[in-house]
């Protein structure tokens, strides 16, 4: 991965090695697309990103600029240092899975973020016997006062970007979510590509 | 474990084997005490209770009567069939840990729910290389419209109980939370015992 933009193809996953101090720019190329994100410590795949630790440290149920994604050992992994859409990213809901699409009445074989996570790890010769909770970038999940969650299309527009600074050496996994039953990837229910590039400094500051 | 009440001692953890169809009654003996809860499938410790799957299936960020705790493979594990306090139990925050108490300025060796989880598993000759998110029974974590979470004393009173029906054979782990820095276990910041008993039918219906 480099300053040149790489693509996470629609409905697929990719894993990338990122060094502490590097900045990851993630582009919502078409605006409608949710990107499920996980991080694993470079030296121990069992130290994964942890959304319960993340909510505890940030004292918030959403993820936004200035907040840090924490590991299962309560260590900082990735800090969001820029967000052109200034949205509240979801920390609450699970990555989609075979079981979810079965419950939604889809045929077997529907692509899903959980399998994308394991496929992407496998490409780096890594494996985990479970699927950690995901940080769901661009995903619009408002919460009502009674705690009910809704699943709405993203409010982001084509070209919106977030920048995450790595706080440790890690493996970053992204899945361009294949969900095409609910409107979580836009009213047209058409999964799209996500763009990714890696930078030595914050690219949002350079271009600002 | 039987119909006789067992005690999870203040600031400690215990693990119990529970069969599908059995009912677990958990008593907040002194009213102020949070109980962190995990479940593991009896035949595969890596299939753990999953709060992100649970929020997805119940479409709610809190846990209450009628809701089901789901596994990391989206299978039902435990359904809450009674709750004398009728409260909204927390699904959002992490179990406390060595790292948390270090950050709070406590001396090394402060008891914590994460170590309690692993100690309790070890007593059943089980082990996991990570700490899953916990369901935090009786824990009072209101969420403001901007997503900010608060940490307040429980609203339960002495003798309040919840009943959970096991939907599969599982290992149940409970920790009587040792937190004595924040008021999450009551304004007196004094961790207390939790009571547990196992029943073939719903004991709340029998005594109602």
């Amino acid at each position: 991965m480099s300053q040149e933009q790489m693509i996470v193809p629609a409905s697929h996953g990719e894993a990338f090695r990122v060094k502490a101090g590097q900045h990851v720019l993630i582009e919502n190329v078409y605006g409608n697309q949710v990107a499920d994100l996980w991080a694993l410590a470079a030296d121990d795949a069992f130290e994964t990103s942890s959304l319960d630790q993340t909510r505890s440290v940030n004292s918030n149920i959403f993820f936004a600029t200035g907040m840090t994604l924490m590991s299962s050992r309560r260590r900082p992994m990735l800090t969001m240092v820029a967000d052109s859409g200034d949205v509240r990213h979801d920390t609450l809901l699970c990555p989609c899975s075979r079981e979810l699409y079965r419950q939604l009445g889809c045929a077997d074989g529907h692509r899903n973020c959980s399998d994308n996570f394991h496929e992407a790890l496998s490409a780096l010769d890594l494996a985990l016997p479970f699927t950690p909770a995901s940080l769901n970038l661009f995903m619009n999940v408002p919460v009502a006062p009674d705690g009910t969650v809704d699943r709405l299309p993203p409010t982001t527009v084509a070209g919106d970007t977030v920048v995450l600074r790595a706080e440790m050496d890690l493996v970053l996994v992204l899945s361009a979510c294949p969900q095409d039953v609910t409107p979580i990837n836009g009213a047209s229910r058409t999964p799209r590509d996500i763009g990714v590039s890696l930078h030595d400094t914050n690219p949002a500051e350079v271009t600002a």
Side-chain angles (χ1 to χ4, degrees), chain A residues 126-168:
Chain A
L126 292 168
L128 271 184
F130 65 102
T131 309
S134 49
L135 171 62
N136 304 313
L137 292 175
F138 312 120
M139 189 157 130
N140 187 7
V141 178
V143 178
D146 70 352
T148 305
V149 299
D150 208 349
R151 289 136 172 113
L152 299 181
T155 61
T156 38
V157 298
D160 267 337
T161 56
V162 297
V163 179
L164 297 162
R165 182 182 64 228
E167 306 294 355
M168 62 165 73

Side-chain angles (χ1 to χ4, degrees), chain A residues 84-96:
Chain A
S84 69
D86 195 23
V87 298
R88 304 199 296 182
H89 306 268
D90 175 63
T91 76
L92 300 166
L93 295 185
C94 57
C96 61

Side-chain angles (χ1 to χ4, degrees), chain A residues 7 16 74 101-102 110 115 123 144 205:
Chain A
I7 292 297
F16 310 95
R74 209 173 173 86
Y101 289 110
R102 197 170 298 140
H110 194 292
D115 284 347
E205 286 180 1

